[in-house]
């Protein structure tokens, strides 16, 4: 999978998880059912996963090697 796809999937997961967190927190503060607390924890876990995936995508991206950089590494 290339960098753009990995980054897009990580950002999509992060947006979905933040939307889940916000929706569950608002419903929980308005007196929603107790099982919403489990969804809040799930949203938090998805947020951490999204941040980790963004970090991994950026750290593992492949950058093209220029001829000047190849010449420096051959010495």
């Amino acid at each position: 999978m290339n960098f753009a796809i990995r980054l897009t999937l990580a950002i999509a997961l992060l947006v979905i998880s933040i939307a889940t967190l916000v929706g569950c927190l608002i419903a929980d503060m308005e007196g929603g059912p107790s099982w919403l607390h489990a969804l809040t924890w799930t949203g938090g876990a998805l947020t951490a996963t999204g941040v980790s995936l963004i970090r991994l995508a950026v750290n593992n991206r492949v950058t093209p090697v220029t001829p000047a950089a190849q010449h420096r590494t051959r010495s």
Side-chain angles (χ1 to χ4, degrees), residues 16-49:
I16 290 169
S17 65
I18 290 173
T20 301
L21 272 174
V22 169
C24 288
L25 285 174
I26 290 172
D28 200 20
M29 289 190 311
E30 294 293 325
S34 61
W35 55 267
L36 278 177
H37 189 68
L39 286 180
T40 305
W41 278 85
T42 304
L46 289 176
T47 302
T49 304

